[in-house]
Amino acid sequence: MKTRAITGFFFVVALVCATIFNEYVFSIFFGIVGILAAKEFFTICKTEETKPLEGLGLVTSIVLATIAIAYFLGYIELKYFGLAIPLFSLLFISSLYLKRAKPFHDIAYTLLGIWYGTIPFLFFIGLGFINGDFNPYIPMGFLIILWSNDTGAYLSGRALGRTKLFERISPNKTWEGFIGGVLLAMGVAFLLSYWFGTLTKLEWVMIAAIIGIFGTLGDLVESMLKRSLGIKDSGSILPGHGGFLDRFDGLLIAAPLVYILLTLF
């Protein structure tokens, strides 16, 4: 618990500093986290029969992250995302020459690692540039709401939890905890509308509802992944907390949805 607390403290400090310092630190920091999350995915999915194309997958993640960061910072246009397409084609072509037992398994896990590990963080970076210029309050608010949801779910689950939410995947999660997490997230979001501004009260509360619901589902999806692979943690880079996929499981599903909500409406 001591190790977990110390790691958690410095982890939160790093996230807050990276988010509010400036647009370059924010974009590069979370771009790197997205690349490392993909690498983590490739590592845990590697077996005797299935070997993700880790090198090419990481190159693709790096190119995608670089293009996204340059786009959000205003250096290039949206059309330059097309430069990544040849790399995706190369994933298929290279498997012709590797002579592995299950080449499409390798390709599938590589594509999934990029989609599940890297791309959600690119959407999260995009939250800082929703209105064109960099605004740290939306991604910072996202993180605060996500943490509030986790805290509310834990506390209400411990105090009131009776009805299992998804026992097959996560025996400790309950409906009471889920509802408590969403309610606390929405309450915190309402307060953020006064402190952070930027969005309307309704938009902040809608964001909280998405984070509360889909952040919890993201947690369950990551638990499903670990159960299917027979592992406890996705990595060990954060002592007491596991890996990046463990710590950002809620963000992986919720961030793209929040970005789409704010972009469309």
Side-chain angles (χ1 to χ4, degrees), residues 18 97 110 123 126 193 255:
Y97 300 93
T110 306
F123 280 105
S193 68

Side-chain angles (χ1 to χ4, degrees), residues 6 10 13 86 113 137 213:
I6 294 173
F10 285 106
V13 170
Y137 292 117
I213 296 169

